[in-house]
Amino acid sequence: MKLISFKQSFIAFGVLLALASCDTDEKLEVKGDGVILEENFYRNETEAYAGLVAAYDKLGKYAGAMENAPLLFLNSASDDFYAGGGNSGDQPGLQVASNYTVSEANIPPAIWADYYKGVARCNIMLVKLPGIPMDGAKKTRFTAEVKALRAYYYFDLVRLFRNIPLILTPLTKDEIPLVSQVDPSAIYAQIEKDLNEAIPDLPMTLTAPELGRFSQGAATALLGKVYLYNNKKAEAAVELAKVNGATPGGTSSYGYKLMDNFSELWDHKHEFNSESIFEISYSDKSNADWGNFERGDDEGNVAAQLMGMRDYSRTDAGKLLGLPDYINGWGFLPVTTDLADALKPDPRFEWTIFDANAQQAAGNMTFTDSYKETGYHFIKYAPVNEDIKAANPFLNFAINTYIIRLADTYLMEAEALGGTGARAQALLDAVRARVGLTPVPVSIAAIYAERRLELAGEGHRWYDLVRTGEAATKLAFKGFTANKNEAFPIPYSEFNNTKMVQNTGY
């Protein structure tokens, strides 16, 4: 995110057992001798801003990590991708997600921990902000932003793990043993409360240096999505209509408008475009390397490297044909033939999937098979060699990822309207018309089918299958077990010295 590059001001307030307010080995890095610990920080507006950056920082793990990157993990678990990689043991957290052998012992624990670290940083800010001498308008905005962030982190946590603790203040070590889970309804109630309180105090628009922060539109879109997942369809339709505007295909009061060309969403040249509602920005400036990567010094889109084809190389014929000069990647997330077949007749295919087998057979390129290779590879976030700017090319791609974009909110509103009526039809038509497709009669089935094709690979599919009750059928070929795999197991390490219990079936 470009509120500033993720760690130009770096606060790593860790979470003891992923739950406490701060950990003994993660401290604020400052110039000069020694370190400043959390209790001595938050003295002025500059330090409050640094705390805000820290609260936003964990957003970057969405595509800025390996097996613990939610984008990779969720795609691996869906029916649209296999884990891939070099072999069945490559990035094992992705493999167990893909074949549904995931357990409390092998799920990447950082997925849970990173989200709760984000929550902890928000909680610290909400405690500290009232006492910081600073501009009142900025304090109000910062408070709104961290409430929206906390809502975002909890929304992903409750969708991934379902039965989770609700922690709203920094915890001491003595309070850790008292931590227990609450009913998911309590999590949703808090998320809705945080967003409703945040929205009025967020800006309508963002200036260039602020891109990547929460705006009113982004928080409203998130609230509409939360209502939809919480089966409050009437409320969802109201909030999403605010985001989408009076006329589908037109410009909303927040300034959102579908991009004219679907291809421009993925050309790396149109960051924070008119369709982008909430977007994570990645940097090629950090020079992260293996020696500092696990410490958290990464700021690039790591998932982009993992999803690249293995040993990709264009032949002279491919160069003349104008095939992209893709990087040599690590071969994760080969596309299932089911998704490829569904997209082949669709204009979005060429900006979503690369048919490597066909291009290799035609003599235009060569590549090495991944594990579970299908010949189809995901390219929405695919880097090319000219994207390499940093000393280490593997961990530093400045390729942003969308969390919410307008086509998504169009389809969510159409669903919230029950998949019927003129408004729902117009919303569905607008998404299809943008890529030159003719209208189809609106229905819930048509909306779900459109979501799969429009949003393929963007991290929504697994959630969609679970919330619509289709997961057991669509994911049976991967080993999905009904009444178990709708939630992932809580990592084993989180049961140490707490009252938590494991999810059903694990």
Side-chain angles (χ1 to χ4, degrees):
M1 3 138 332
K2 287 182 178 172
L3 99 137
I4 60 175
S5 185
F6 277 137
K7 298 183 188 65
Q8 290 173 16
S9 288
F10 172 68
I11 303 176
F13 296 130
V15 187
L16 182 64
L17 301 177
L19 295 171
S21 63
C22 63
D23 159 341
T24 57
D25 63 352
E26 292 191 274
K27 303 168 184 175
L28 172 68
E29 296 180 355
V30 295
K31 294 180 180 179
D33 296 331
V35 295
I36 297 177
L37 298 178
E38 177 262 326
E39 60 265 25
N40 299 319
F41 200 59
Y42 301 101
R43 298 164 296 188
N44 51 48
E45 186 174 304
T46 299
E47 293 180 354
Y49 182 70
L52 181 66
V53 173
Y56 272 100
D57 179 63
K58 288 302 175 183
L59 288 176
K61 290 299 181 184
Y62 184 69
M66 295 192 185
E67 64 179 2
N68 55 301
L71 177 64
L72 295 173
F73 188 84
L74 290 165
N75 280 346
S76 294
S78 78
D79 58 339
D80 289 345
F81 300 91
Y82 296 109
N87 54 57
S88 62
D90 201 352
Q91 293 299 305
L94 301 183
Q95 305 295 338
V96 297
S98 188
N99 60 27
Y100 285 91
T101 59
V102 63
S103 71
E104 65 179 16
N106 60 28
I107 188 171
I111 296 175
W112 170 286
D114 285 337
Y115 279 117
Y116 268 109
K117 286 178 182 179
V119 167
R121 296 175 188 189
C122 292
N123 289 342
I124 292 170
M125 282 288 285
L126 290 171
V127 168
K128 297 288 187 177
L129 272 169
I132 300 174
M134 61 181 290
D135 177 79
K138 287 186 178 179
K139 183 183 291 191
T140 298
R141 179 180 175 182
F142 285 12
T143 300
E145 288 184 80
V146 293
K147 285 183 178 180
L149 277 168
R150 184 168 69 179
Y152 171 85
Y153 292 135
Y154 268 127
F155 185 45
D156 274 8
L157 278 164
V158 74
R159 290 187 296 164
L160 284 164
F161 299 103
R162 186 174 292 170
N163 301 297
I164 62 172
L166 179 61
I167 301 169
L168 300 176
T169 58
L171 297 180
T172 66
K173 291 182 180 180
D174 291 340
E175 292 172 314
I176 292 292
L178 305 177
V179 169
S180 60
Q181 293 125 307
V182 299
D183 189 86
S185 62
I187 304 293
Y188 274 100
Q190 183 62 46
I191 292 169
E192 293 167 13
K193 180 177 185 291
D194 276 345
L195 289 171
N196 277 304
E197 291 177 356
I199 287 168
D201 295 326
L202 292 168
M204 281 285 290
T205 58
L206 301 173
T207 60
E210 302 171 327
L211 297 175
R213 295 169 70 170
F214 263 105
S215 65
Q216 277 193 28
T220 302
L222 181 58
L223 178 59
K225 187 170 185 174
V226 169
Y227 281 143
L228 182 64
Y229 274 70
N230 202 17
N231 204 31
K232 296 181 177 181
K233 293 183 179 179
E235 294 91 334
V238 169
E239 299 304 321
L240 293 166
K242 296 175 186 176
V243 175
N244 295 335
T247 306
T251 302
S252 77
S253 60
Y254 291 114
Y256 301 132
K257 185 179 185 300
L258 291 176
M259 293 288 283
D260 291 336
N261 298 309
F262 184 79
S263 62
E264 290 181 342
L265 292 165
W266 317 110
D267 63 6
H268 309 173
K269 298 175 183 177
H270 292 83
E271 296 179 350
F272 300 106
N273 54 65
S274 65
E275 187 169 337
S276 175
I277 296 174
F278 196 44
E279 178 174 335
I280 300 176
S281 180
Y282 292 94
S283 172
D284 58 12
K285 303 295 191 297
S286 71
N287 292 321
D289 206 336
W290 298 117
N292 59 20
F293 177 72
E294 294 300 331
R295 194 178 65 195
D297 289 349
D298 54 301
E299 296 176 21
N301 185 330
V302 179
Q305 172 68 39
L306 270 73
M307 293 186 289
M309 286 167 278
R310 297 171 67 84
D311 302 319
Y312 174 89
S313 179
R314 297 177 299 171
T315 64
D316 289 342
K319 292 175 184 177
L320 287 173
L321 189 64
L323 286 190
D325 186 22
Y326 292 129
I327 64 156
N328 291 327
W330 298 341
F332 288 90
L333 297 191
V335 176
T336 61
T337 55
D338 186 59
L339 175 61
D341 289 345
L343 262 171
K344 275 181 181 176
D346 193 291
R348 289 166 287 202
F349 180 93
E350 67 173 310
W351 303 106
T352 305
I353 296 174
F354 185 83
D355 190 341
N357 277 354
Q359 293 294 344
Q360 182 164 256
N364 297 324
M365 49 79 71
T366 60
F367 76 112
T368 299
D369 283 357
S370 298
Y371 177 62
K372 296 276 190 178
E373 182 62 58
T374 63
Y376 300 109
H377 286 266
F378 179 60
I379 55 171
K380 281 182 175 177
Y381 299 122
V384 295
N385 279 304
E386 69 178 23
D387 290 322
I388 296 174
K389 300 292 192 301
N392 185 337
F394 302 129
L395 307 174
N396 298 283
F397 287 110
I399 297 173
N400 291 3
T401 57
Y402 300 108
I403 298 299
I404 306 177
R405 59 182 178 91
L406 196 61
D408 183 12
T409 58
Y410 272 25
L411 295 172
M412 285 194 290
E413 185 190 346
E415 180 184 343
L417 291 168
T420 62
R423 170 83 177 177
Q425 183 71 65
L427 290 160
L428 177 61
D429 288 351
V431 174
R432 292 177 60 81
R434 189 257 296 276
V435 293
L437 293 172
T438 56
V440 297
V442 70
S443 66
I444 290 296
I447 292 165
Y448 290 166
E450 200 67 31
R451 285 187 65 80
R452 187 187 191 192
L453 303 182
E454 171 71 25
L455 303 169
E458 297 176 50
H460 304 289
R461 177 65 174 173
W462 184 84
Y463 289 133
D464 281 350
L465 292 177
V466 169
R467 72 183 178 84
T468 60
E470 295 187 301
T473 300
K474 299 288 188 180
L475 293 168
F477 76 103
K478 282 191 161 189
F480 184 99
T481 300
N483 302 315
K484 172 185 176 183
N485 293 131
E486 291 85 356
F488 289 108
I490 297 167
Y492 176 77
S493 57
E494 300 306 323
F495 297 97
N496 231 348
N497 200 28
T498 70
K499 293 182 177 180
M500 292 199 299
V501 296
Q502 186 56 271
N503 286 328
T504 301
Y506 294 103

